[in-house]
Every structure is written in structure tokens, then in C-alpha cells.
Amino acid sequence: MVERKKGLVDRIWDLFASVKFAVVLFLLIALTSIIGTVIEQGAEPEKNLMLLKRLFGDSLAPSAFRLFESLGFMDMYRSWWFVSLLVLFAANLIICSLDRLPRIWRLATEPIKPLSPRMTGSVPIRREVRLKGPPEAVRERLEEALSSIGFKAGYSPDEDGGYQLYSQKGGYTRLGVYITHLSIIVIMLGAVIGIFFGFKGYMPIQEGYTADFAYGRDDTTQSLGFAIRCDDFDVEFYDMSDMPKVFRSRLTVIRDGREVMKKVVEVNSPLRYGGYTFYQSNYGMVPDADGYFILKVRGRTGKAVTINRMLGESFVIPGTEIVGTIRDFSPALAMDDSGKTFTYSNMMNNPAVYIEFSEGGKERYAGWILRRFPSTWRLPDGNVVELVDYWGVQYTGLQVRKDPGVWLVYLGSGIMTLGLCIAFFMSHRRVWVLVGREGRHSAVTVLASANKNRQAFERKIDKLVSALSGGSDG
Amino acid sequence: MDSSVLFGIATIGYMLSMVAYITYLVSRKEQVGAAATGITVASFIAQTIAFMMRWVEGYEMGLRSFWRPPISNLYESLIFFVWCLILGYLIIEFRYRNRSFGAFITPLAGLALAFIEMTGMSKEIQPLLPALQSNWLLAHVTLSFIAYSTFGLSFGTALMYLIEKTEKRTEPAYIFWTVSLGVLVVLLLAMGADFMKFHVLASTPEEMKSYLFRATFKSDSGAVSLASWAGAAAVVALVWRYGYLLKRVVASFNVTAGLLDDVTYKAIAVGFPVFTLGGLIFGAIWADQAWGVYWSWDPKETWSLITWLVYAFYLHARLMRGWKGRKVAVVAVVGFVAVVFTYLGVNLLLSGLHSYGSLG
Ligand code: HEM
């Protein structure tokens, strides 16, 4: 028969089935990815123009900028050519796996057969030992030895009174590489679903308020189908420093007018509801908002009550005639060297409230009460006023995300881990024990192979052989 | 005594053991080799104790929960890298009963420690920002560094392989390894110069960035800068000219090229799954938990991916006909260069976009 030239389809198939092509793609993707780490992605044009001026000089920078822009370098991970590389990569992976799967499947599932005499030379591990007694007499011992290292032996007699025991383990581990490759496809699929059907937005909510939509790209809004109320936002600091320790939003989910869920959201602990996930992203003060001072007041007689008042309002310390009037507030109070107070930040880093106390119309004392300094809560006469919060003036900024593909990404990640462990830490091991008659003795040849980590298997076989010969006197 | 004293002892110990291993390589005196191993083991024990003490100190200062080992800033992670690297090395030394790897791997530990001292980075136990208080992040950092140290091992053995396998000065593989080694030496010298000139006490990567190479390549004086470049070229040329001398030293040991190739592959075969799980997957899960995006193509993430692809390249190149030996060893070396860039280069050279979240 005349050998025909391969058709175009065949040649494309061969290209996509080759590891060489894969290696070229690894290199291309890795090298081009570097561009996007040097040029800031999605930045204002001026920024990258500056960078290019530093790299290429003032005169060349504008043309370099135009060139880079036409090549999509400023948003390169979404550019047509980078996406094409990823598509080629996926196609490569799929076709390569399909191409090899039948052969590997056979290798993985095929039962082991006795070794034909002319194949014995090609088995990498070979050990010989002589045992006392004819072949049939040592069979049980050999089978026990094999099963002690986990191999259940098959039996096949040959013509001249000898026989062969053979066994294999871990044939399926040959599929580890394919599981790994499959997982990459699963992850890419998840990513694609996320890109086409996902949503990414932002949602600021003031303390005490409710919102039922989020801002998406370019200030579009997306209705959620339920509402979220911010019950409280709070920052906790490390000891006496301004180093934040915890950002905390207390949120309530409201659906059809009913509260269906409450959750404290922190930076690494988002709220998940209705397919959306809400992350703590930022926070701030709402300009000109009037809030409530929440005070815990305890008279000397011991009973504590929690009250809330606005700026300028008054309250009575229970069990006394003393009236406190709220005169001033500072979100971040500090004191300079001369003892004068000032506000050092417009965020609530060190909230303080100035209260005047009077009794029967006569002024008694006045001073700052600081939320983070319990020593300032105790008044000269033994009454205690604690500043719990200045509530209603902060907003919490939530990042809103809907990604229907993320579970596939996680699934793929799990599969990949599994596949890699199988591919690298497990192996397909085969062993054949050939037994022949040699006078009153048996000549035993142990042949073995492993597709990975052969040394470890070799040591195991050595142990087996020395255990066998230890029990013999041949 | 607090942990910093013990860390100091361990640092000096590792420097000594580096000298001892190199002396052993040259002199081939068995006593020197035994001393090298002894010093390494003792330093390793000192470092292990110091690590535990630092853990407890952070807890007692109220800056860490008890379940959080001290692996959270640049200093701590580099120290942890050295610890893993030495552990990995000791396992190889005992398993293969061969000390000659030591002269190639302890300098990596020495380099990391020298980098800490030269840049004068902060060794304080710092409070953790909210975004960093995550178990995923912890697992991510820990596993990444375990992987980095296996990659570091493979770098050492791949370099030895190249030294042993190359003959002529015009050979690409020879040029590759001598230039790589030369650049490494130049970097060390330049950082040393920065340290001598500024006694930098930089505490953040940003500050470090502003001092790096100011004494040499980026000097205000044009003449110094020019001389630095010339000096760098001279060092590289020197390593290239006399690199073959190293070959004799390596060859005088009974490490076959086959063994080196095998160790390189095994180290990568362990490192690759660990890096995949810890470096990429846990990193993605952390990002997803903290910011709601598992992948955002920021420079640090992208460089992790590049590193991963280089090692995938290595694994697949070995399966291709004609790509055994020298070429794959080159890939293993390049892989570790990518590792170093992922960890340090992105912070020091690229625009530092990988700030820790919008709340930082
Ligand atoms: C980044 C994506 C990839 C990863 C993480 C990956 C992972 C792996 C791993 C771990 C191995 C085993 C290597 C070893 O035993 O030393 C392997 C083998 C292999 N890979 Fe990939 N791979 C990827 C992409 C690809 C692509 C795109 C192709 C397409 C041609 C491919 C083709 C192969 C082949 C043919 C083998 C050998 C299989 C065998 O030994 O039977 N891989 N891969």
C-alpha cells in the first residue's frame, strides 16, 4: 500500500497532541505575562506614559504608548491575543489527553499477564535467589511473601515443572496525569463562567440604613432582590496604637420585609446570601451626619443604664440629681504638649465626647470621655459614664460579588491536588516471580518494575528477597 | 535570652557551615566535613528553638493568637525559608550520604541571611493587619516557602549538574551557568556596598527599594555608576573565564551527573504539588475570602503563575525526546530565578501593587 500524505486535519491534530507544542505555549504565556506585571494594568494613561518615558526616553514614549495600546498591553490579560494563547493552551490540553487516553486507559486497567521469556531482559529490577525444595513446595511461601508487601499473586504453570507468580498494584495511578490535566480544564471553565455570568460591584451602607442594590462597572446599578441593613460598623485597634486589628460590620439580610439572616462581616469572613458574597472592603464617615451617642451610665448606687442622645441633649445619672449635657465630639482626640486638645484624624480612631455635668442648675465639672480610655469614664464623684459608640455616622463599604463559576474553580483545584499527588507520589508497580527446578532446589527470579520512584520499590524488593533467602539454606 | 539572640547564633552558625562546606569541598578532609555537618545541625537546632520562642513571644505580646506561627512578614518568611532549606538539605545529606551538595546549598541560606542583614529589614514582631489574619494565608505562606526551599535545592543540584556537564567556554550551557553565577555574586557585592555605605535601617519594602543599589548602579555620581557596571561586567567575565575550575572540584567528588539530575527532578516533583496547592490554590482561596476575587492578575500572582509554568515546562521538557540533561537543568535554574523574582523582585522592582488590601 502506498503511504498517503497526512491530511491537514491530521497534521493539526498531531500538532495539538504534542508535548512540544505545550512546552512552546508554556513559554509564550509565561513570557508575555511578564509584560502585564511591568506595565500597570487598567491604570490612567498618564501613569504608563511616565513609565514609558523612563524606559524609552521622552521622544519615543508617545509612539511606544500608541504601539502598546494597539497591542492591548495596558489591559493585556483581556487582549485578544492573550486570550487566544489561553484558548490554544486549553485545546492543546484537551486534544493531547484525548489522543493518549485510550493507550493509558489500557495500561491502567489491563490485568497483568505472565512474562514471556524473551521479555525478561527488559524488566529493570532483577534479583535471584535459590530456595530449598522443589518449586511446588515453595509456592505458598512465595505467595505469602508477596502478600506481605501487598501483592496478591496470580499463578501460571510452565512446561518444565516451574511456574510464574505475578501481580501488580496501582495501575490506576497512571491516570494521575490525566486527572491533573482535566482539572485545568475544569478551572478554566469555571473562570469563563465567572467572566460571562458573574457580577462585581460595590455597596456603601450607612449605619442604620438599608440598601437593596449595588454599583457595578461604570456606575450601573444592580438590584439584588433582597436588602441589607448595616446595624453597626466598628474598628478595633491594637492596644493603644492606631494600627487596626479588626474591621467589623454587623449586617442583617432582609427579604420581603422579614429579617432572614444576621452576620458579623470581617475582612476574612464575608457574608454569603442569595448567590452574592459581601466582603468588607472599606469604610468612612458620612459627612454632616447626625448620630447618637450611646452611653452606659452607672450611678454610685450601682444600677447601669444604656442611653442614647444626640449632640446638645442631656441625661440624668440614675439615682442622682446630676445632669450631663453633651457639648462636643471629636472622632480622634489627641493632646499637644501644652495640654491643649485637638482632633488628629477625621476617622473614628479615638472617639471622645465632651460632657458638662451640673446639679441643681449649678455646674459641677466637665471633661472629655474617651471610648478607648476607661480611666476617663470615672467621674470625680464616683459615677461612671462610658462612651460605647457614636452611632449612625459611619458607613461600611462592601465589595459585592456574584460568581457562579467559583465552585468549578474550587472543584478543579481539588482535583488538581489529587491528580498531582497521584502523579508524583504513587506509582504503578509490577512484579513477576519466576520459579524453575534446579535439582532439589528452586531457582527463583524476582523481576519488578515501577513507573515512578523506582529506588523505593527496589528497596522493597531487596527486603523481600533477603527475607526469603534468610529462611533458606540454599 | 530572647529569640533574637538565638537567631543571631544560628545565622553565624550557618555562615560558618557555609565556609566549612566549601573548605571541605576544596580540601576533602573528612574532619572538616564532619565539622560542617555538626555546625549545621547545631545551628538548625538553635534556629528551631528560636522559632518556637518567637512564636511564644508574639503570643505574650498580644499581637498573635496562639495558633499563628511567626511567618507573617518579609523577615520571618525568609528565616522560615532558610529553615526549610536546611532541613531539606540535611535530609538529602543523610539519605545520600554525600556532603558535597552542602557547598552549593548552604550559600543559598547564607545569601538569604545576608540579604536580611544587608537590607536591615525590620525584625520586630509586628501587629497583623486584618487582611493578614487568615488561616488560608498562613497555609499559603507556609507551603509556599516549603516549596521554595525544595526549588532552592533543585537549583543547587541543577547548577552542579551544569558545572559537571559543560566543557567548552563557548557552549551555551556553560555561558548560561557562569553568567548566572556571576550575576548572583554581583548582586551580593552590590547589596554589601549598600550596607557599608548607608547602614540602612529600612523597615518596609518601600524604604528598601529606595536604598537598593544606591551605592553602586544607581549612585548619584555618574562615575560610580559607570564603574559599577564595568565592575559587574568584569566579575561576570571572570566567573566565565575561570568557571571550569569549579568543574574539577565538583568532578573530584563521586556525585554522578545522573544522581544530580535525579535529585533535581525529585526536589521539583515534591515542590511542584506543594507549590500548586499552597502557592496558587491557597493563595487564590485567601484572595477570594479577603477581597472576593480569586485571581486578579496582579504582579505577585502573575509571577507565581510564571514560576509555576516554568516548572511545568521543566516537567514536560523532560518527557520530550532530546531534552534530557543539560537543557532541563537550565530550566531548573531559570525556575528558581523566577522564584526569587516572585518573592523579592516583585516587591523591590515592580511597582509594589501587591499592597495588602484596600484596608491596609
Ligand atoms: C499548566 C498546565 C499543565 C500541568 C500543571 C501539567 C501537569 C503535568 C504533570 C504533573 C505531568 C507529569 C510529569 C511527570 O511525571 O514528570 C504531566 C505529564 C504530561 N503532560 Fe502535562 N500538564 C499541563 C499541561 C499540559 C499540556 C497543555 C499538555 C499538552 C500536550 C500536556 C501533556 C502532557 C503529557 C503528554 C504528559 C505525559 C503523560 C504521560 O507520562 O503519560 N500537559 N503534566
Side-chain angles (χ1 to χ4, degrees):
Chain A
M1 214 173 98
V2 184
E3 193 161 315
R4 265 192 307 152
K5 262 185 134 180
K6 280 191 170 177
L8 187 64
V9 174
D10 282 340
R11 269 192 289 170
I12 291 177
W13 179 275
D14 284 351
L15 173 69
F16 275 89
S18 73
V19 181
K20 205 177 231 159
F21 190 54
V23 164
V24 169
L25 284 175
F26 286 146
L27 202 64
L28 276 178
I29 294 174
L31 286 177
T32 52
S33 291
I34 296 176
I35 299 170
T37 67
V38 177
I39 295 171
E40 200 176 324
Q41 300 292 293
E44 293 107 58
E46 294 78 44
K47 255 182 154 171
N48 279 324
L49 198 59
M50 288 269 282
L51 180 79
L52 291 177
K53 276 184 181 158
R54 240 185 300 154
L55 290 177
F56 300 109
D58 283 359
S59 54
L60 279 179
S63 26
F65 187 84
R66 273 195 301 280
L67 178 68
F68 280 21
E69 193 152 53
S70 63
L71 290 173
F73 284 2
M74 315 303 177
D75 194 10
M76 68 153 273
Y77 301 110
R78 267 189 275 267
S79 68
W80 63 269
W81 57 269
F82 192 75
V83 172
S84 306
L85 278 180
L86 295 180
V87 170
L88 284 180
F89 176 79
N92 186 196
L93 201 52
I94 293 171
I95 292 177
C96 174
S97 301
L98 288 179
D99 196 60
R100 282 159 215 254
L101 197 58
R103 214 191 75 226
I104 297 293
W105 186 257
R106 242 194 0 260
L107 266 177
T109 54
E110 207 170 43
I112 185 171
K113 289 205 266 308
L115 209 58
S116 68
R118 76 196 153 77
M119 290 297 288
T120 54
S122 63
V123 181
I125 304 172
R126 183 191 185 97
R127 297 286 183 277
E128 281 167 29
V129 61
R130 233 152 60 100
L131 297 181
K132 201 172 160 189
E136 279 311 320
V138 297
R139 177 175 164 190
E140 200 171 325
R141 214 166 109 210
L142 288 170
E143 279 174 349
E144 261 166 31
L146 281 175
S147 91
S148 75
I149 58 168
F151 287 89
K152 201 170 143 353
Y155 171 82
S156 147
D158 56 27
E159 291 98 64
D160 38 4
Y163 57 85
Q164 222 185 101
L165 300 176
Y166 50 89
S167 180
Q168 68 173 347
K169 250 173 55 173
Y172 65 91
T173 63
R174 290 192 181 262
L175 297 173
V177 169
Y178 292 85
I179 296 173
T180 308
H181 292 158
L182 172 78
S183 71
I184 294 169
I185 301 294
V186 174
I187 290 173
M188 289 176 111
L189 197 68
V192 168
I193 291 178
I195 288 165
F196 284 104
F197 303 104
F199 169 75
K200 192 176 159 188
Y202 176 70
M203 196 173 173
I205 316 175
Q206 188 175 350
E207 283 172 321
Y209 285 74
T210 302
D212 59 2
F213 65 89
Y215 297 99
R217 264 189 166 210
D218 311 320
D219 275 341
T220 54
T221 58
Q222 165 131 339
S223 164
L224 301 176
F226 55 90
I228 294 191
R229 188 177 68 219
C230 173
D231 296 320
D232 188 30
F233 175 80
D234 183 34
V235 185
E236 194 180 305
F237 296 89
Y238 280 100
D239 275 345
M240 291 297 126
S241 74
D242 272 1
M243 184 78 135
K245 187 177 184 180
V246 182
F247 303 101
R248 199 180 281 130
S249 299
R250 290 173 203 281
L251 305 179
T252 302
V253 181
I254 299 168
R255 169 157 242 158
D256 305 326
R258 278 203 354 262
E259 293 185 2
V260 288
M261 186 178 177
K262 274 184 184 294
K263 158 103 187 160
V264 180
V265 167
E266 293 175 11
V267 172
N268 278 297
S269 164
L271 159 71
R272 294 178 205 282
Y273 184 80
Y276 290 92
T277 312
F278 301 85
Y279 302 85
Q280 186 66 57
S281 164
N282 65 350
Y283 69 100
M285 300 286 281
V286 179
D288 303 323
D290 288 321
Y292 289 92
F293 294 94
I294 301 181
L295 303 171
K296 202 180 209 171
V297 182
R298 182 151 45 87
R300 253 171 314 182
T301 48
K303 226 175 105 226
V305 292
T306 302
I307 56 171
N308 46 53
R309 293 288 185 277
M310 296 179 87
L311 194 68
E313 292 182 344
S314 303
F315 59 92
V316 178
I317 297 178
T320 70
E321 308 275 276
I322 298 175
V323 177
T325 308
I326 298 171
R327 292 292 180 208
D328 199 4
F329 168 75
S330 166
L333 190 77
M335 205 178 274
D336 65 14
D337 293 336
S338 62
K340 244 181 69 190
T341 55
F342 65 100
T343 296
Y344 67 91
S345 162
N346 53 8
M347 297 299 236
M348 290 241 271
N349 283 12
N350 188 20
V353 60
Y354 191 84
I355 305 180
E356 279 173 7
F357 293 92
S358 59
E359 192 168 16
K362 237 178 66 205
E363 190 165 313
R364 292 283 305 271
Y365 38 79
W368 286 102
I369 290 174
L370 287 83
R371 177 172 161 192
R372 292 176 63 191
F373 291 84
S375 60
T376 63
W377 304 345
R378 182 166 287 276
L379 305 180
D381 55 15
N383 296 313
V384 176
V385 177
E386 176 188 348
L387 174 59
V388 178
D389 197 7
Y390 183 36
W391 184 85
V393 295
Q394 297 192 90
Y395 70 88
T396 181
L398 301 173
Q399 168 115 22
V400 184
R401 182 93 181 152
K402 179 175 168 175
D403 190 341
V406 74
W407 67 275
L408 272 175
V409 173
Y410 283 156
L411 179 71
S413 301
I415 297 175
M416 183 184 287
T417 308
L418 184 77
L420 286 172
C421 286
I422 295 174
F424 285 118
F425 304 133
M426 295 163 91
S427 58
H428 183 189
R429 299 168 165 199
R430 288 185 279 196
V431 56
W432 295 267
V433 180
L434 278 48
V435 186
R437 182 184 291 276
E438 215 180 75
R440 286 190 295 124
H441 296 286
S442 303
V444 177
T445 309
V446 181
L447 295 162
S449 74
N451 68 334
K452 286 267 156 69
N453 203 0
R454 197 162 77 214
Q455 284 95 331
F457 193 43
E458 200 156 357
R459 278 193 292 275
K460 211 166 213 176
I461 295 292
D462 278 334
K463 232 187 245 162
L464 177 102
V465 169
S466 72
L468 278 176
S469 52
S472 79
D473 39 23
Chain B
M1 191 161 68
D2 67 1
S3 64
S4 59
V5 178
L6 265 181
F7 273 127
I9 292 174
T11 302
I12 295 169
Y14 287 144
M15 297 287 184
L16 282 177
S17 68
M18 172 173 100
V19 174
Y21 274 117
I22 293 173
T23 314
Y24 169 67
L25 195 65
V26 178
S27 73
R28 301 227 267 153
K29 285 214 173 66
E30 204 44 49
Q31 298 99 305
V32 180
T37 305
I39 298 170
T40 311
V41 172
S43 311
F44 181 74
I45 293 170
Q47 197 192 358
T48 310
I49 297 170
F51 182 82
M52 306 287 213
M53 283 167 68
R54 190 174 168 100
W55 192 337
V56 173
E57 283 160 18
Y59 171 69
E60 283 174 349
M61 288 162 73
L63 299 178
R64 296 275 191 290
S65 78
F66 190 73
W67 303 110
R68 193 156 294 276
I71 319 175
S72 52
N73 56 19
L74 191 59
Y75 169 71
E76 290 176 339
S77 56
L78 280 172
I79 290 283
F80 184 64
F81 166 73
V82 169
W83 189 82
C84 295
L85 187 70
I86 296 291
L87 178 64
Y89 166 69
L90 286 173
I91 290 173
I92 290 186
E93 178 178 320
F94 284 101
R95 182 123 178 232
Y96 291 91
R97 308 199 175 284
N98 193 320
R99 284 200 183 96
S100 52
F101 301 117
F104 287 82
I105 288 160
T106 47
L108 273 184
L111 209 72
L113 294 169
F115 182 78
I116 291 172
E117 296 304 324
M118 283 174 190
T119 51
M121 67 183 68
S122 169
K123 298 178 183 177
E124 301 282 310
I125 301 179
Q126 292 146 337
L128 279 184
L129 292 175
L132 304 185
Q133 300 162 16
S134 151
N135 291 331
W136 290 112
L137 176 64
L138 185 65
H140 165 62
V141 175
T142 314
L143 289 183
S144 292
F145 273 88
I146 291 171
Y148 289 173
S149 39
T150 64
F151 292 152
L153 291 174
S154 72
F155 168 76
T157 50
L159 202 60
M160 283 170 82
Y161 181 93
L162 287 175
I163 291 173
E164 196 166 324
K165 272 288 193 173
T166 47
E167 295 287 340
K168 289 195 291 290
R169 265 185 230 127
T170 47
E171 219 173 328
Y174 179 86
I175 296 172
F176 173 79
W177 79 254
T178 48
V179 171
S180 308
L181 199 63
V183 170
L184 213 71
V185 173
V186 167
L187 284 180
L188 253 182
L189 291 177
M191 287 193 306
D194 287 336
F195 180 64
M196 303 291 262
K197 178 143 185 220
F198 297 111
H199 290 279
V200 199
L201 279 172
S203 56
T204 63
E206 274 61 45
E207 276 180 78
M208 226 149 70
K209 206 160 55 180
S210 66
Y211 283 109
L212 198 69
F213 303 138
R214 263 297 147 80
T216 49
F217 304 112
K218 283 161 76 179
S219 169
D220 295 329
S221 142
V224 172
S225 160
L226 208 65
S228 306
W229 286 108
V235 169
V236 173
L238 223 63
V239 177
W240 173 75
R241 179 71 182 74
Y242 295 105
Y244 67 92
L245 291 176
L246 267 179
K247 178 187 158 94
R248 281 194 214 151
V249 178
V250 174
S252 69
F253 276 85
N254 291 328
V255 231
T256 61
L259 177 66
L260 289 171
D261 183 54
D262 193 48
V263 176
T264 308
Y265 174 74
K266 286 221 173 96
I268 292 174
V270 172
F272 191 75
V274 175
F275 185 61
T276 306
L277 180 68
L280 293 173
I281 298 177
F282 285 175
I285 296 178
W286 170 56
D288 193 25
Q289 293 282 318
W291 308 316
V293 256
Y294 54 82
W295 191 263
S296 53
W297 291 106
D298 86 30
K300 196 106 179 170
E301 281 173 349
T302 308
W303 270 97
S304 309
L305 182 70
I306 292 170
T307 304
W308 189 69
L309 286 172
V310 174
Y311 283 108
F313 185 113
Y314 173 91
L315 293 170
H316 290 86
R318 274 183 129 248
L319 301 169
M320 293 197 320
R321 248 172 295 139
W323 264 72
K324 289 248 146 49
R326 249 172 300 181
K327 283 187 192 165
V328 286
V330 168
V331 180
V333 170
V334 171
F336 191 64
V337 172
V339 167
V340 173
F341 199 85
T342 303
Y343 196 62
L344 298 175
V346 172
N347 291 24
L348 296 179
L349 303 177
L350 299 178
S351 46
L353 291 173
H354 199 71
S355 58
Y356 285 128
S358 47
L359 290 167

